[in-house]
Amino acid sequence: MATKTIRVDYLTRVEGEGALELDISGDAVSGVRLAIFEPPRFFEALLRGRAGTEAPDITARICGICPVAYQMSAVHAIEAAWDIRLDAPLRALRRLLYCGEWIESHALHVVMLHAPDFLGFPDAISMAAVHGEAVRQGLALKKAGNALLRLLGGREVHPVNVRVGGFYRVPTRDELAPLASTMEEARATAIALARWVAAFPFPDFGRDYEFVALRHPTEYPMNEGRLVSSRGLDIAVAEYEDAFAEHHVAHSTALQSGLRARGSYLVGPLARFNLNHDRLSPSVQALADELGLAPGCTNPYRSIVVRALELVQACEEAEGLIAAYAPPPAPAMAVTPRAGTPQASTGAACTEAPRGILYHRYDLDAEGSILQARIVPPTSQNQSTIEDDLRLIATRDLALPEHELRDHCEQAIRNYDPCISCSTHFLRLTVRRQ
Amino acid sequence: MHTRLRPTLAVWKFASCDGCQLSLLDCEDELLALAGAVDIAYFAEASSTLRPGPYDLSLVEGSITTAHDAERIRAVRAASRHLVTIGACATAGGIQALRNFADVTDYVAAVYATPAYISTLATSTPIAAHVKVDFALHGCPIDKAQLLEVISALLAGRKPEIPHESVCTACKRRGTSCVMVAHGTPCLGPVTEAGCGAICPAYGRGCYGCFGPSEAANTAALAATWTVLGADRRSIHRAFRSFNAAAEPFREESDAHGDQDHPG
């Protein structure tokens, strides 16, 4: 039988390098491989022997798009190992910092990377010729998120202010106050953006995913909570490795994660929304309602609407946190790695990166140096779910011209905002037809 | 450059975190104007339109860690009139250059269940170790104002105005009192290239050297000062062995404080 090959040299508008290979025999898709060949950087190996206190700054360098997520998971894991509990004002500042990253990252993905798919443009810059207002709104939101990162973190990419125990420096009320109006404006912009994306044409697609996210007693999840799923998983973060396992597959430099009991699962905005709809603010719930989005949504293309809703949520929360802010008595709790932990210790943490749960675990020696590190980024967790989606989409679209098949596959991958640097941005599509 | 034809810009990624190229998208106020002034011909993180070279200016992020990338950077160089490295990975090898001090097979085995699937070089090397670099921007990440200055300067045919001074000078300009003198906090500022705006001391912590060594950095004198402040050999070793570990003055100084029992 004739073999036909399509090659797309780069998967664009994602962060990292990867390729997609489809094997097609007759009218069936016989193989799907999302190959991630981001050159390995060996973070888990190079962390061995470093001070536990260095983990937040070092692991931030795994991903320049979501460095705060890495800092948050790392710092909370080390604090768990050393039994450090932050008091309320420091905890609130951590949440405010994370809001900044959610806003920056979601605005980037919604407007600059994903919206062009739905409207038929190669990028946001060419999209700006027709949808100038939306692109300017996206950039304004991104700037607002970055303003929070700049003040609380010192800079947008790889902020310098997070330390084990708290921060190096906390802002004064006067420094933070001007950002209240920035966030108020950003919230209005995000609402407009949510209405804009909700009107996009969404492919009719959906399947019975197992959604996994953090769940907190009162808050929309960011820095803490239990790990829950739509099929009854409900565990403490420390039990993560009992429930999930990583596999190394030949076609990828990223490890693939699966539930030991049931295999692939989905993390990220859609999972958070479905499992934590009742933790969104009343106004965001009302907006979701207005936009026709209810918990139980199984269409991954609608994740762009959820990201927009989370933008509104993050802006609103940031506004509230700024209004309620009173500088903590000290920028950090006392940290003495040896005190209270005379012997080796282990700490794990999971936080909600913009793309989904990010798990870190550190084993530390009595002096506070890292013996072993384990990091499971969200894209590794979504990878086999993305492959499952692609198998269905490729089967459905087999009869289409190959450039359309390719475009549909790329768009489906972008539903997950895959941050391939953590794991890979180079998706080469190879279709082998037999 | 030809009249009326906008100069072409390409952005390339090697082993890196994407943070330095994100700095271009972080120019929220300038991005649309920049896209009007230059023709962004190749920027995979931002656009599905990828056009072949030659390019007037290539920005290169990331270090060389695979045989394939060692070939790819030559092709990028051949297609580029100007080549600028952006950030610590491209300019000095990055944090992933810590493998240069270790056994890479041990690194592979520590992370991957099936080491045979992984193809990697034993070292992470800067772009300049492979091809001619016309200008190098420092930083982990780069400073976006410096990035805009380099793009503007090279496309206008002038020399970029990037000052070479230490973080200490930037601290004084910012009015930050010295964290070493005032608080006894160990700081790499005296031996680190400025460009970040001296952020860390302004936030009450010592500089951790993410812009790499400054010109004529006296690292030995600084290490002696750290010792007086109470830093042990191991923390001095770690401080010089981070995001610019393979940059020569930092490599030498970390070696001088090496510890056989704790190679990390």
Side-chain angles (χ1 to χ4, degrees):
Chain A
M1 260 186 273
T3 298
K4 208 170 175 185
T5 300
I6 307 176
R7 178 156 294 185
V8 183
D9 283 338
Y10 268 81
L11 175 68
T12 54
R13 284 184 277 128
V14 301
E15 300 96 12
E17 303 195 333
L20 174 65
E21 293 174 4
L22 298 178
D23 297 334
I24 296 161
S25 312
D27 57 357
V29 177
S30 50
V32 175
R33 288 177 300 279
L34 181 61
I36 291 181
F37 43 92
E38 181 82 9
R41 293 167 69 216
F42 306 113
F43 275 89
E44 287 152 312
L46 64 84
L47 281 161
R48 295 171 306 172
R50 304 300 301 210
T53 48
E54 293 181 295
D57 286 325
I58 292 177
T59 60
R61 269 67 184 184
I62 293 174
C63 178
I65 319 291
C66 50
V68 170
Y70 281 87
Q71 292 185 342
M72 289 297 104
S73 288
V75 83
H76 288 109
I78 301 291
E79 286 164 359
W82 294 344
D83 206 19
I84 298 164
R85 289 192 194 134
L86 261 56
D87 55 22
L90 287 171
R91 193 183 166 276
L93 265 185
R94 290 251 176 105
R95 191 168 175 88
L96 184 58
L97 178 69
Y98 222 154
C99 284
E101 179 158 288
W102 275 36
I103 295 167
E104 186 279 326
S105 175
H106 276 0
L108 174 73
H109 190 257
V110 169
V111 179
M112 309 298 288
L113 307 183
H114 207 193
D117 276 339
F118 292 93
L119 301 172
F121 293 92
D123 53 60
I125 289 164
S126 49
M127 190 173 76
V130 182
H131 300 278
E133 184 57 20
V135 173
R136 275 187 292 276
Q137 283 179 337
L139 288 169
L141 266 172
K142 194 169 165 311
K143 192 178 169 186
N146 275 338
L148 269 177
L149 292 173
R150 241 183 128 75
L151 176 64
L152 296 178
R155 63 185 171 195
E156 299 90 338
V157 178
H158 305 325
V160 303
N161 196 21
V162 172
R163 72 184 296 180
V164 175
F167 293 90
Y168 288 94
R169 178 186 184 279
V170 293
T172 63
R173 262 208 70 81
D174 285 352
E175 285 173 325
L176 203 49
L179 286 179
S181 60
T182 307
M183 287 301 129
E184 194 183 343
E185 273 174 47
R187 180 158 63 100
T189 306
I191 292 170
L193 204 60
R195 291 187 173 126
W196 182 62
V197 299
F200 285 176
F202 294 102
D204 183 19
F205 182 86
R207 58 191 188 86
D208 187 20
Y209 299 99
E210 178 158 1
F211 296 105
V212 175
L214 284 177
R215 181 152 172 91
H216 183 272
T218 55
E219 298 167 342
Y220 199 68
M222 274 190 191
N223 272 326
E224 44 192 79
R226 287 177 69 80
L227 274 164
V228 302
S229 90
S230 52
R231 290 191 197 144
L233 179 82
D234 184 357
I235 57 170
V237 167
E239 298 167 293
Y240 178 92
E241 289 172 54
D242 299 333
F244 299 87
E246 281 185 300
H247 308 283
H248 189 192
V249 290
H251 59 260
S252 182
T253 57
L255 301 173
Q256 287 194 4
S257 175
L259 274 157
R260 288 182 195 275
R262 292 178 296 276
S264 29
Y265 58 102
L266 186 155
V267 304
L270 199 56
R272 284 194 293 262
F273 176 82
N274 283 332
L275 295 164
N276 293 284
H277 174 266
D278 57 344
R279 300 290 186 261
L280 287 164
S281 79
S283 68
V284 177
Q285 287 186 38
L287 182 60
D289 211 31
E290 176 200 316
L291 303 179
L293 202 70
C297 175
T298 58
N299 183 342
Y301 292 91
R302 289 190 189 270
S303 63
I304 192 172
V305 186
V306 178
R307 274 187 202 92
L309 289 169
E310 288 188 339
L311 271 169
V312 182
Q313 175 78 19
C315 292
E316 191 177 314
E317 283 209 32
E319 231 183 300
L321 289 165
I322 293 167
Y325 180 69
M333 319 288 290
V335 175
T336 43
R338 278 175 241 216
T341 52
Q343 62 278 321
S345 54
T346 289
C350 200
T351 73
E352 287 281 359
R355 289 152 193 81
I357 53 170
L358 166 60
Y359 173 78
H360 285 218
R361 188 250 302 156
Y362 299 95
D363 299 339
L364 301 131
D365 68 17
E367 292 181 351
S369 293
I370 297 168
L371 297 167
Q372 203 183 11
R374 182 85 189 280
I375 296 167
V376 189
T379 299
S380 309
Q381 307 189 63
N382 278 333
Q383 201 182 334
S384 64
T385 293
I386 298 173
E387 289 183 350
D388 294 346
D389 281 6
L390 291 169
R391 191 171 292 113
L392 289 173
I393 288 161
T395 303
R396 184 194 66 193
D397 293 349
L398 220 48
L400 291 180
E402 284 178 355
H403 70 275
E404 284 184 43
L405 172 60
R406 179 200 67 202
D407 287 353
H408 288 182
C409 288
E410 288 200 29
Q411 184 181 9
I413 292 166
R414 285 191 206 102
N415 286 334
Y416 293 87
D417 188 8
C419 193
I420 304 179
S421 291
C422 322
S423 21
T424 208
H425 120 142
F426 171 22
L427 193 90
R428 190 179 60 211
L429 174 66
T430 308
V431 179
R432 277 192 282 272
R433 288 182 194 268
Q434 290 187 335
Chain B
M1 242 152 286
H2 311 289
T3 48
R4 294 214 187 88
L5 270 184
R6 288 177 301 156
T8 51
L9 176 73
V11 182
W12 306 95
K13 175 185 159 67
F14 291 84
S16 66
C17 77
D18 284 56
C20 289
Q21 50 177 313
L22 179 66
S23 299
L24 200 56
L25 296 176
D26 276 347
C27 298
E28 292 98 357
D29 292 334
E30 300 89 359
L31 186 63
L32 293 177
L34 179 72
V38 302
D39 177 3
I40 302 178
Y42 195 106
F43 187 5
E45 184 166 312
S47 176
S48 296
T49 305
L50 302 175
R51 299 209 310 278
Y55 311 101
D56 290 303
L57 172 58
S58 276
L59 302 174
V60 177
E61 174 190 276
S63 66
I64 303 301
T65 61
T66 66
H68 173 250
D69 278 356
E71 287 305 312
R72 194 160 61 96
I73 188 60
R74 281 184 236 288
V76 168
R77 175 70 263 189
S80 310
R81 190 164 153 242
H82 298 291
L83 187 154
V84 173
T85 56
I86 54 169
C89 295
T91 301
I95 186 77
Q96 59 272 19
L98 291 183
R99 80 179 66 178
N100 302 7
F101 306 92
D103 174 3
V104 80
T105 53
D106 164 60
Y107 265 38
V108 176
V111 179
Y112 295 101
T114 318
Y117 292 168
I118 298 299
S119 147
T120 187
L121 296 173
T123 54
S124 167
T125 43
I127 300 302
H130 300 264
V131 297
K132 178 173 170 281
V133 169
D134 298 306
F135 199 85
L137 274 179
H138 294 257
C140 183
I142 53 168
D143 176 78
K144 66 182 184 185
Q146 287 200 344
L147 177 64
L148 288 174
E149 164 60 15
V150 167
I151 294 173
S152 315
L154 288 178
L155 297 179
R158 64 174 172 83
K159 193 170 177 289
E161 286 177 35
I162 304 291
H164 291 290
E165 55 191 28
S166 74
V167 170
C168 290
T169 315
C171 256
K172 287 186 179 65
R173 199 172 296 126
R174 191 168 172 155
T176 306
S177 55
C178 179
V179 294
M180 280 208 289
V181 173
H183 311 291
T185 302
C187 178
L188 286 180
V191 298
T192 298
E193 175 97 349
C196 61
I199 302 166
C200 287
Y203 278 71
R205 73 181 287 191
C207 163
Y208 62 84
C210 75
F211 269 63
S214 56
E215 285 178 355
N218 189 344
T219 54
L222 182 67
T225 307
W226 276 43
T227 306
V228 173
L229 294 175
D232 59 17
R233 277 171 62 83
R234 195 173 183 191
S235 49
I236 295 171
H237 172 76
R238 282 169 173 158
F240 284 102
R241 193 164 283 186
S242 69
F243 310 105
N244 291 278
E248 203 46 29
F250 283 9
R251 186 193 64 75
E252 271 177 38
E253 200 56 43
S254 70
D255 279 347
H257 303 268
D259 181 336
Q260 291 303 311
D261 296 325
H262 300 290

